[in-house]
Amino acid sequence: MTDATAPPPSAPGPFHVRGALKEAGLAAFVMLGLSLALIGARIDDVSGGLAVRWRPFDVLAAVVVAFLGRLGLAFLRAGRPAPVALASGLSCAALAPLLAVSATGGGAADWARTALPFSGFAVNVLVLVVVVVLALRAGLAWRFGARAGARARAGAPGAETMDRLASVARRAAVHAVPVLLLAAVLFPFLPFADRRILDIAILVVTYVMLGWGLNIVVGLAGLLDLGYVAFYAVGAYAYALLATEMGLGFWLCLPFAGVMAALAGVLLGFPVLRLRGDYLAIVTLGFGEMIRIVLLNWYEVTNGPDGISGIPKPTFFGLPFVRSPPEGTESFHTFFGLAYAPIDRIVFLYYVILAMALITNQFTLRIRKLPVGRAWEALREDETASRSLGINPRNTKLTAFGIGAMFAGFAGSFFATRQGFISPESFVFIESAVILAIVVLGGMGSQVGVVLAAVLLIGLPEIFRDLQEFRMLAFGATMVLIMTWRPRGLLAHREPTIRLSGKGAVRR
Amino acid sequence: MTTAPDTTEPARPFSPPQRPLLDVEHLTMRFGGLVAVDDVSFAAAPGDITAIIGPNGAGKTTVFNCLTGFYRPSVGRLALRGNGREYLLERMECHDIARAGMARTFQSIRLFPRMSAFENLVVAQHNKLMRASGYTVFGLLGTRSYAEAEAGAVELARYWLEKIGLVDRADDDAGNLAYGQQRRLEIARAMCTEPLLLCLDEPAAGLNPRESAELEELLLFVRERHDVGILLIEHDMSVVMKISDRIVVLDHGRKIADGTPAAVRGAPAVIRAYLGEADGADTDTHTRADTRRDAGMGA
C-alpha cells in the first residue's frame, strides 16, 4: 500500500497513517460530544412523567461511523481508494440485507434490528446512503485513478460538478422551463400524487411564491428584510377577518388582502429608508415581531392566541367543494356530474397556489425589465450613484417593499383559506428565516434557484418527517451543503435585463 | 468677510457671453467647526469647460457635493439655468438636482458593477423611461408608447457606447471592465441623463497617458457636439491646462484665483498655494523646480 507506482498526475501525496488516524480520532471525538446529548439520552413520555432512556450503543455506533468515515475520506484524499472501496463495499453488502430484513416482521427482523448500528430505521437508511456514496466515489477513483483522485484532492469535489450543473441548467433553461411547467401542471394526476404528497407540493409552491415575492425585496432591491412573514400574516388575517366577520368570499378578498399587505409594507418601509445592510435587517426583524405581538394581544379583533377558525374554503367560480351542498345550490361535483372525492379540493388548492405563484413569477420577470426594476438593481448596486442619476431612492425602495409585501399578502390569504384556521403561531420569525434562506440559497435574484431551494428546504424535511427529531438536522444539513458547494446560491447567475448583441438583443 | 483679496484677478477678466449656466454665490460649507468651503463664488458658462483645481483638501469635492445635493450648503446660493428655467440647487434633493440637469461622476468610480455596461447606460435614463412607462403601469401592459421610448433609450445608449468604444463589451458586467473603460463608461452614463452641466470629479485619476489623451478627446467631443457645460476637478495639470476654458483655484476652502489657464498659471497666489512659499510650510526635500514640474505649472 505504500508503494506509489501511479503516473505523476495521480501520484498520491505523502500519506501519514498517524495523521489520518489522528484526524479520524478528532472527528470521532466531535461526534461523541454531539451525539451524547442528541442521541445518547432519549426522553420518553411514560405514565407518571418523563423518563430518560439511555442509548449507549447508538452513541458508540455514531462514533465508530464518524471515525471510519473520516478515515475513509483521508484515504481517498491521499489517492488510496482501494481499501476504502473494499471496506465500504463490504459494509454496504452487510447493511443492505440487514435493513431489508429488519423491515419485515418476525424473529429475523428483531435479530437484524439489534445487529444494525442505530435503533432508528431512517437513521440506518441514511448511514447506508452515506456508505454507498463513499463506496461509489472510492470505486470510481480506483477505477479511473487520476482524474477522480485529483478532484478528490481539490478539497470541494462537488463544486465544479455543481458549477457544470448550473451552467447546464442555464443552457437547458429554455427547454427545461416548459417541461418543468408541464410537470407542475400535471403533477396532481401523476400516479404517486396522493393526498400527503399533494399537501407537501402545496406547501412547497406556497414557499416558492413567498420566495419569489421576497426575491423582489432582497434579490432585486438588495434590501435585507428579516420580517417578511409579517406581510404574510397581514394577508392571512385580512382575509380571515373579512371572511368570518363580513362573509366575503376568497376571490373577493384576495386583492384586498394584497392591498392591505402592500400598505403595511409601505408603512413599515418608511422608517427604515435610511438604513442599510445589518441595521435594516435588525429593524425589519423587529417590525416582523411587532406585527406578530399585535396579533397576539389585540384580542378584540384578532382573537389573540386562540386564532381565527372556521375560515371559508375557496370556491370554484362559486361552486364549493362539499359532499352535500345546501338545498337549492350546487357543489363542484354535482355541477359537473362527478362522484364526490375529497381530493378534488386539494387538487383545486394546488392549482390556485400554482397559478398565483406563476403570476408572481411573470410579474417579477416583467417588472425587472422596466425602469423601476432596473432602478431597484441600481439601488442595490450603489445608492449614491443612483441618486446622482435622478433615481428617487425613497419611492423606489417603497415600491419594492410594497410589491414584495403584496405577494406575501396574496400567499397569506391562500394560507388562511387552505388551513381554515390561523393563529399568530404560524407567523413566527423562523418562517421569515426560512423564506430568506430559500432566496439566498437559491441564488439572489434567480427565479429558478428559488424553486430548487424551496424543493430542497421545504420538500426534503417534509419527506423526511419519519426522521422525527432529526428532521431539522436534515434542514440544517441541506443548508450547510448548499453553502459549501454553492456559496453564492444554487443558480447565482444574473442575466442582463437588456442586451445589445447576442441572444435576445434589442432590435435595431 | 472672509474672501481673500483677489489680487490675482487676471488682466483679461472673464466675461460670460450670456447668462451663466451655473452661478455659485457665497458658497460656504461648515462641518461643525471646520470650514471646508469658505465664501466661494464663481460661474460656469454653457459650452465651456470650467476646471476647479487646488491642493489636496482645498474643498474641491465639497463644492461638487454641495452642487449635486449630497451636502446641503451652510450658506450660499447655487443656481442652475437651462430649458428656460432656473433651479435653486441649495434647496433641492439630490435626485431632483439630477433631474434638473446636473450629472456627475465620482472620484472613486461608482458604476453598477454587477449590471452590464449597456444596462448602466439605460438605468441612467430612468426618469425619461419612468414617465414613458406611465410609472410602470403602461410598461407592465406593454404599450406601444413605452416600447418606442425604450427603443429611443437604447439608441442613446448605443450612441454613447460607440463614442467610448465599448460596443463589443456592452453586455459584460461593468465591474469586469478595465479601469480606463470604467472611467469612460461613467462619463457616458452621466451623459445619458442628457444633462445641462456635467460635473467630473478627477476623471483622469489613475489613467495612463494614452487613456488620458482619449479622455481629453472625449471631453472636447462632448463640449463640441453636445450643448452641455463641463465642470471638472482634476489634479493632472496637463489635462487641465490643455482643455479648460476657465480655471477656478481653491486653497483651504477659499477661492484664490479665477480666470483663463494662462492667467491662472502665472498668478502669484496660485504658485504660492502649490509651492507653499509664503507660509514656509514647504519643508520637504523637493526643489522648487521639481514641485513646479509635478504640479504641471512649469510648462
Side-chain angles (χ1 to χ4, degrees), chain B residues 79-90:
Chain B
L80 180 72
R81 297 189 191 91
N83 305 331
R85 286 190 60 187
E86 185 177 73
Y87 303 95
L88 294 179
L89 305 179
E90 75 274 12

Side-chain angles (χ1 to χ4, degrees), chain B residues 144-225:
Chain B
R144 197 195 183 94
S145 63
Y146 174 67
E148 279 163 10
E150 194 178 44
V154 164
E155 275 318 303
L156 185 63
R158 191 201 300 273
Y159 169 81
W160 280 108
L161 281 170
E162 277 162 10
K163 283 294 158 259
I164 60 173
L166 282 180
V167 174
D168 48 340
R169 302 291 311 270
D171 296 322
D172 290 348
D173 281 2
N176 293 342
L177 297 177
Y179 187 81
Q181 295 174 329
Q182 292 196 12
R183 282 268 178 220
R184 290 205 301 274
L185 181 61
E186 207 189 9
I187 294 172
R189 187 181 66 179
M191 282 309 295
C192 275
T193 65
E194 295 168 272
L196 300 165
L197 182 67
L198 176 65
C199 300
L200 305 171
D201 198 346
E202 298 201 20
L207 299 187
N208 63 34
R210 195 173 54 81
E211 289 170 330
S212 265
E214 283 171 3
L215 176 82
E216 280 167 28
E217 210 175 297
L218 178 64
L219 294 186
L220 291 174
F221 168 81
V222 166
R223 185 181 57 170
E224 294 284 307
R225 302 289 297 275

Side-chain angles (χ1 to χ4, degrees), chain A residues 109-309:
Chain A
D110 284 342
W111 178 82
R113 256 178 237 134
T114 46
L116 279 168
F118 295 98
S119 44
F121 179 74
V123 189
N124 283 321
V125 173
L126 262 187
V127 171
L128 181 65
V129 168
V130 171
V131 172
V132 166
V133 169
L134 199 63
L136 280 179
R137 263 187 63 188
L140 280 177
W142 196 11
R143 174 76 182 73
F144 299 106
R147 250 185 70 228
R151 266 229 308 274
R153 267 196 302 280
E160 63 183 73
T161 325
M162 288 297 288
D163 271 333
R164 242 180 299 131
L165 262 181
S167 70
V168 167
R170 208 152 54 231
R171 265 179 279 121
V174 190
H175 315 289
V177 165
V179 172
L180 282 178
L181 207 60
L182 197 70
V185 169
L186 294 180
F187 187 79
F189 301 107
L190 296 181
F192 58 83
D194 56 2
R195 162 102 204 227
R196 177 166 158 268
I197 298 284
L198 265 182
D199 269 336
I200 295 175
I202 290 174
L203 194 69
V204 168
V205 180
T206 311
Y207 276 93
V208 167
M209 177 169 175
L210 286 169
W212 278 338
L214 186 61
N215 212 353
I216 294 175
V217 186
V218 179
L220 292 184
L223 303 162
L224 189 51
D225 187 349
L226 284 183
Y228 192 62
V229 78
F231 310 121
Y232 189 43
V234 169
Y237 270 86
Y239 168 59
L241 288 173
L242 281 174
T244 53
E245 303 290 320
M246 296 184 184
L248 299 178
F250 175 72
W251 296 108
L252 205 61
C253 295
L254 189 65
F256 190 76
V259 169
M260 284 288 284
L263 274 181
V266 171
L267 218 60
L268 296 192
F270 252 110
V272 301
L273 280 173
R274 285 167 176 275
L275 303 177
R276 291 179 204 186
D278 311 353
Y279 303 98
L280 178 70
I282 290 170
V283 175
T284 51
L285 190 155
F287 278 141
E289 286 299 283
M290 268 157 67
I291 292 218
R292 187 178 62 86
I293 289 166
V294 166
L295 294 177
L296 203 56
N297 290 292
W298 197 6
Y299 202 88
E300 301 76 33
V301 176
T302 65
N303 211 16
D306 303 340
I308 301 173
S309 53

Side-chain angles (χ1 to χ4, degrees), chain B residues 83-162:
Chain B
N83 305 331
R85 286 190 60 187
E86 185 177 73
Y87 303 95
L88 294 179
L89 305 179
E90 75 274 12
R91 296 182 193 165
M92 288 162 67
E93 293 271 347
C94 194
H95 54 268
D96 290 327
I97 291 177
R99 270 172 220 190
M102 179 90 81
R104 76 169 289 181
T105 67
F106 295 86
Q107 201 168 343
S108 53
I109 299 174
R110 280 181 174 275
L111 288 168
F112 305 122
R114 283 188 300 160
M115 298 172 86
S116 73
F118 187 41
E119 280 180 296
N120 268 272
L121 299 188
V122 177
V123 168
Q125 304 172 54
H126 175 76
N127 289 307
K128 190 173 69 182
L129 288 176
M130 201 67 183
R131 274 193 303 277
S133 76
Y135 298 90
T136 307
V137 179
F138 296 159
L140 279 176
L141 299 174
T143 61
R144 197 195 183 94
S145 63
Y146 174 67
E148 279 163 10
E150 194 178 44
V154 164
E155 275 318 303
L156 185 63
R158 191 201 300 273
Y159 169 81
W160 280 108
L161 281 170
E162 277 162 10

